[in-house]
């Protein structure tokens, strides 16, 4: 009874400490793994001595295995094949060539600087080839980096985990059995990847069928069924070929996520919560089991080994793997800096330390200490500085492009064309067949569904877009849609057309900006567009006439004859919010009401079907002299 209570006590402390660390990290806005590592070490034998993971015995290995399966499955769920397609070549190279570069570079550093024998040096390098989605994912959510970079880092973290874990076990098997034939090692690696991939693909498809056809099951029960199937698949793969289970979980998650499964978001939420729990408990337990004395006993050579891994091997890796990509030097530099190691490295190192000790092979504890030193240095140095580096390099998601527009009408089609002409991704969402046909006729992607469904917004790719704008004819619906989009997807810019003063809603409206102008009569302006009673104009705010230009334009806005649509600033195009603060150099694109009757316009040669042409309009460009008497006639132009 006392033994069982001791195990219960250890698990209770680990769970409480893990979740407490997550809460503290969220409050301090720090990477959670930093707090988890520090708290785990503090609670362990070298700290206050509350946690003793060795009490769990073989149960610790079971916890590590099952929790890792959940973590990697959740990582597979987050793999978007469409996004990965944009960086597919670089990602393939990172998982293949990058693994080889890290293996060779890391082993050379460990041998020559850390003074490890070659077999132990290769084992260390095989463990640290992984970058860990459990660290990269939360880090990217916190710093909101450019989507292309984020996709590459997330894809690398998820896909390289099974490759690295299997590679490490192949190297361990070679050391233990004394088989130095590289052909056998390669065959073992390929077999594990193939078996794990095949079982994972079949299992992921089976899970998707459960969600699609098992209508008698509640959503909660479906989630639990998927968890049961996942662990069964993991165990089956491990029975057929040891360590092939890690590949199974990743492939199962990726296949499931890309099978257009209904209610998938509920599963993502459920698995996300399990992942947070798993990561929290594992890091606390593994860090508590670490001997700080063994880390200090490594000496300066091991410190230099990790520094070489961070500042030499990783940049060389990125240089070769992204050589022919369209990534700029800023993106490549950020990729070179961010490669924190995570729970897979920690769990594999802890397991290897036990196995090597059981086989009477020296170096197990030293490898574990060096791997944890690598985790601590990469997580602390890179995790704490990644946000600053991203801002310094100018690759945060605040500069993300593209737009999801809810409401397919003449005004939204006009705005969509501007984004499309700049090569940015634009998606419209509406249910009106006639409006959908108009969008498709202009080669604009449109989803025929309700934007109230979160899965539709997910399908539209809102997670990678820079702007969300709701501009249907119903202002209340627009505001609700924008709030949901901000809460669930948190794009950099969230706007809506709604009949409220943008300053009147306080904290309730801090995530949603009112689009264009206050109380825009969107029905009226859509009628103007349909009847051809508008002109499309542009003006650039100059330093010399900045105040008078603003006054003149704001006067026309107050009179209801002008609506500013877009602003081009620093070569980026954004939808104008009602509370936009204009700056010198801004290029404003606007609609100007042309009240001339249609008959008069036809007589003058104009036509309703004539496309709008972006031009400088005299009505806006020329400031009335009465308002700026200090200007001469020759200086009255605002252009």
């Amino acid at each position: 009874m006392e033994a069982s209570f001791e195990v219960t006590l250890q698990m209770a402390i680990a769970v409480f400490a893990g979740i407490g660390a997550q809460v503290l990290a969220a409050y301090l806005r720090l990477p959670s793994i930093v707090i988890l590592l520090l708290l785990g070490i503090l609670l362990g034998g070298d700290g206050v001595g509350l946690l003793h993971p060795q009490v769990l015995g073989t149960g610790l290995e079971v916890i590590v295995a099952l929790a890792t399966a959940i973590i990697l499955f959740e990582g597979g769920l987050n793999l978007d094949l469409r996004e990965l397609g944009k960086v597919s070549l670089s990602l393939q190279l990172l998982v293949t060539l990058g693994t080889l570069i890290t293996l060779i570079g890391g082993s050379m550093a460990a041998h020559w600087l850390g003074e490890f024998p070659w077999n132990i040096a290769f084992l260390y390098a095989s463990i640290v080839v992984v970058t860990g989605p459990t660290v990269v994912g939360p880090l990217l959510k916190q710093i909101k980096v450019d989507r292309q970079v984020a996709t590459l880092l997330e894809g690398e973290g998820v896909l390289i985990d099974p490759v690295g874990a299997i590679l490490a076990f192949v190297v361990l098997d070679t050391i233990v059995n004394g088989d130095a034939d590289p052909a056998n090692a390669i065959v073992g690696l390929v077999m594990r990847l193939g078996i794990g991939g095949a079982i994972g693909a079949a299992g992921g498809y089976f899970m998707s069928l459960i969600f699609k056809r098992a209508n008698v099951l509640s959503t909660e029960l479906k989630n639990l069924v998927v968890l049961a199937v996942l662990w069964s698949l993991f165990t089956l793969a491990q029975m057929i070929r040891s360590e092939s289970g890690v590949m199974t979980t990743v492939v199962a998650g990726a296949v499931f996520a890309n099978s257009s499964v209904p209610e998938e978001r509920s599963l993502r939420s459920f698995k996300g919560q399990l992942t947070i729990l798993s990561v929290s408990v594992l890091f606390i337990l593994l860090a508590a089991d670490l001997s700080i004395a063994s880390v200090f006993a490594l000496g300066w050579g091991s410190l230099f080994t990790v520094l070489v891994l961070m500042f030499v091997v990783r940049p060389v890796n990125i240089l070769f793997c992204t050589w022919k990509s369209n990534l700029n030097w800023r993106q490549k530099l950020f990729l070179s800096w961010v490669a924190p190691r995570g729970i897979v490295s920690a769990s594999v190192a802890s397991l290897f330390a036990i196995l090597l000790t059981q086989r009477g092979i020296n170096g197990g504890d030293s490898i574990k200490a060096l791997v944890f030193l690598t985790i601590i240095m990469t997580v602390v140095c890179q995790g704490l500085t990644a946000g600053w580096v991203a801002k310094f390099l100018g690759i945060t998601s605040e500069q993300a492009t593209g737009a999801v527009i809810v409401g397919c009408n003449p005004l939204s089609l006009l705005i969509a064309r501007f984004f499309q002409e700049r090569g940015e991704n634009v998606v419209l969402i509406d249910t009106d067949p006639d409006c959908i046909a108009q969008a498709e006729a202009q080669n604009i992607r449109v989803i025929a569904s309700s934007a109230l469904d979160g899965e539709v917004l997910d399908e539209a790719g809102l997670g990678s877009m820079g702007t969300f704008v709701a501009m249907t004819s119903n202002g209340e619906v627009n505001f609700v849609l924008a709030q949901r989009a901000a809460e669930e997807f948190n794009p950099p810019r969230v706007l809506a057309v709604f009949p409220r003063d943008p300053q009147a809603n306080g904290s309730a409206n801090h995530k949603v900006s009112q689009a264009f102008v206050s109380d825009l009569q969107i029905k009226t302006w859509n009628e103007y567009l349909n009847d051809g009673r508008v002109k499309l104009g542009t003006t650039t705010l100059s330093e010399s006439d900045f105040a008078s230009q603003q006054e003149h334009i704001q006067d026309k806005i107050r009179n209801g004859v002008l609506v500013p649509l877009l602003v081009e600033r620093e070569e980026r195009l954004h939808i104008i919010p009602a509370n936009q603060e204009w700056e010198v150099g801004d290029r404003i694109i606007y609609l100007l009401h042309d009240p001339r009757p249609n008959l008069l316009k036809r007589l003058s040669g104009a036509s309703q079907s004539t496309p709008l042409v972006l031009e400088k309009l005299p009505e806006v460009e020329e400031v009335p002299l009465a308002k700026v008497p200090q200007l001469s006639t020759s200086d009255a132009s605002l252009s």
Side-chain angles (χ1 to χ4, degrees):
M1 185 68 180
E2 291 182 359
S4 63
F5 177 76
E6 183 65 23
V7 172
T8 303
L9 180 62
Q10 292 295 303
M11 288 304 301
I13 294 174
V15 172
F16 183 82
I19 300 304
Q22 293 282 359
V23 173
L24 182 60
Y27 177 76
L28 297 176
R29 300 185 65 83
L30 293 174
S32 58
I33 189 174
V34 174
I35 308 298
L36 288 168
L37 279 172
L38 295 177
L39 188 58
I41 293 172
L42 178 64
L43 295 176
D46 287 352
V48 297
L50 282 178
L51 268 181
H52 303 281
Q54 61 271 18
V55 171
L56 302 177
T58 56
L60 180 59
E61 297 178 32
V62 176
I63 294 171
V64 169
L66 296 181
T68 301
I70 294 175
I71 293 167
L72 293 179
F73 178 75
E74 202 257 346
L77 283 177
N78 292 327
L79 286 179
D80 188 332
L81 298 183
R82 290 172 297 182
E83 290 290 333
L84 291 178
K86 300 176 183 178
V87 292
S88 58
L89 178 59
S90 297
L91 183 58
Q92 291 169 15
L93 290 174
L94 280 172
V95 176
T96 52
L97 177 61
T99 298
L100 182 61
I101 291 173
T102 306
L103 178 65
I104 295 174
S107 59
M108 291 169 64
H111 176 69
W112 288 330
L113 297 175
E115 299 181 354
F116 284 89
W118 277 112
N119 58 348
I120 301 299
F122 267 104
L123 188 57
Y124 160 74
S126 67
I127 296 174
V128 296
V129 297
V130 301
T131 57
T134 56
V135 186
V136 173
L139 187 63
L140 293 177
K141 288 180 181 178
Q142 187 178 53
I143 63 178
K144 298 178 182 178
V145 76
D146 168 75
R147 188 59 194 171
Q148 192 175 13
V149 174
T151 300
L152 193 56
L153 284 173
E154 287 174 344
E156 179 194 19
V158 172
L159 294 178
I160 209 170
D161 261 9
V163 174
I166 292 173
L167 175 64
F169 275 92
V170 169
V171 174
L172 177 68
D173 188 55
T174 302
I175 293 173
V176 171
N177 297 323
D179 185 0
D181 187 355
N184 291 338
I186 294 174
V187 169
L189 177 64
V190 172
M191 285 190 63
R192 286 176 169 88
L193 291 174
I195 291 172
I199 295 176
Y205 178 72
F206 176 66
M207 293 177 188
S208 67
L209 288 181
I210 294 175
F211 259 70
K212 289 177 180 178
R213 299 184 180 180
N215 297 324
V216 296
L217 302 179
S218 65
T219 301
E220 292 77 11
L221 189 54
K222 286 180 181 178
N223 292 339
L224 292 174
V225 168
V226 167
L227 176 62
V229 172
L230 172 66
W231 279 344
S232 300
L233 293 172
F234 177 79
T235 306
L236 175 62
Q238 293 287 89
M239 290 172 58
I240 296 175
R241 189 79 177 187
S242 63
E243 306 316 317
S244 60
V246 287
M247 188 65 179
T248 296
T249 56
V250 171
V251 174
V255 170
F256 183 92
N258 290 275
S259 299
S260 300
V261 177
E263 302 173 333
E264 179 191 337
R265 292 182 65 83
S266 66
L267 178 66
R268 286 178 182 269
S269 176
F270 174 63
K271 286 296 185 288
Q273 293 170 356
L274 287 180
T275 296
I276 292 174
L277 177 62
S278 301
V279 170
S280 303
V281 173
L282 284 185
F283 262 115
I284 288 291
L285 289 174
L286 296 179
D289 197 38
L290 177 66
S291 169
I292 298 299
S294 65
V295 175
F296 283 105
L298 293 173
W300 289 101
S302 295
L303 178 65
F304 293 140
T305 297
V306 180
L307 292 175
V308 167
L309 191 71
M310 294 170 60
F311 297 109
V312 178
V313 177
R314 177 64 176 181
V316 170
N317 186 348
I318 295 299
L319 177 65
F320 280 97
C321 294
T322 62
W323 185 266
K324 293 185 177 181
S325 71
N326 60 354
L327 297 172
N328 58 46
W329 69 269
R330 292 182 178 86
Q331 293 170 316
K332 292 179 182 180
L333 186 58
F334 185 79
L335 289 170
S336 299
W337 177 242
V338 177
R341 273 57 181 182
I343 193 65
V344 173
S345 293
S347 58
V348 170
S350 299
L351 182 59
F352 282 13
I354 297 172
L355 294 177
L356 289 175
T357 302
Q358 291 175 348
R359 296 298 182 95
I361 300 175
N362 293 328
D365 289 338
S366 297
I367 278 187
K368 179 181 176 181
L370 183 55
V371 169
F372 268 88
L373 177 63
T374 305
I375 293 172
I376 292 170
M377 290 183 63
T378 56
V379 165
V380 173
C381 294
Q382 298 171 353
L384 294 180
T385 61
W388 178 84
V389 172
K391 291 179 181 178
F392 177 76
L393 295 174
I395 59 169
T396 60
S397 62
E398 294 297 323
Q399 297 154 329
T401 60
V404 173
I405 304 175
V406 179
C408 187
N409 50 57
L411 190 57
S412 63
L413 286 171
L414 176 63
I415 292 172
R417 287 202 301 273
F418 272 102
F419 280 99
Q420 191 177 57
E421 288 171 2
R422 296 176 69 94
E424 297 188 22
N425 190 17
V426 181
V427 181
L428 292 174
I429 302 176
D430 207 314
T431 55
D432 189 325
D434 294 334
C435 295
I436 292 171
Q438 293 178 28
E440 292 175 341
Q442 299 179 40
N443 295 319
I444 297 173
R445 184 188 171 198
V446 59
I447 298 177
S449 188
S450 170
L452 290 169
D453 187 348
E455 294 182 3
V456 173
L457 297 179
D458 197 27
E459 180 187 349
L462 183 54
S464 62
M465 297 288 195
T467 302
F468 172 88
V469 55
M471 46 191 303
T472 71
S473 57
N474 189 322
E476 297 295 330
V477 171
N478 290 340
F479 186 71
V480 171
L481 288 172
Q483 280 189 314
R484 288 193 56 185
E487 292 169 0
E488 294 188 32
F489 295 90
N490 195 27
R493 294 168 293 279
V494 182
L495 304 100
V497 175
F498 57 93
R500 304 182 187 185
D501 181 353
Q503 304 299 324
N505 294 283
S507 60
N509 191 29
H510 71 282
K511 292 183 179 180
V512 180
S513 299
Q514 196 169 26
F516 312 121
V517 295
S518 300
D519 298 322
L520 173 69
Q521 301 299 316
I522 190 168
K523 289 183 179 179
T524 301
W525 282 92
N526 280 324
E527 290 175 1
Y528 290 164
L529 279 163
N530 280 330
D531 295 340
R533 288 183 285 165
V534 291
K535 295 178 181 179
L536 185 62
T538 178
T539 190
T540 301
L541 303 181
S542 63
E543 185 174 1
S544 58
D545 301 327
F546 182 66
S548 56
Q549 284 177 306
Q550 279 204 96
E551 181 184 354
H552 182 46
I553 293 174
Q554 291 294 341
D555 183 58
K556 289 189 174 293
I557 292 174
R558 286 190 292 270
N559 291 333
V561 298
L562 186 146
V563 174
L565 301 178
L566 303 159
V567 58
E568 185 177 37
R569 179 182 295 172
E570 297 178 353
E571 299 183 354
R572 294 182 180 273
L573 195 67
H574 299 305
I575 295 175
I576 289 184
N579 57 357
Q580 174 76 51
E581 293 184 4
W582 292 348
E583 299 176 1
V584 172
D586 283 351
R587 179 173 177 249
I588 312 298
I589 299 173
Y590 57 85
L591 280 179
L592 185 69
H593 179 217
D594 183 3
R596 289 183 298 168
N598 286 337
L599 177 59
L600 179 59
K601 292 174 68 177
R602 294 193 189 99
L603 292 175
S604 65
S607 170
Q608 179 178 338
S609 60
T610 301
L612 290 171
V613 178
L614 186 61
E615 57 185 332
K616 292 182 179 294
L617 302 176
E619 299 95 321
V620 178
E621 292 292 302
E622 296 177 1
V623 180
L625 293 179
K627 292 194 175 185
V628 283
Q630 72 277 15
L631 296 178
S632 65
T633 305
S634 60
D635 294 330
S637 174
L638 293 181
S639 57

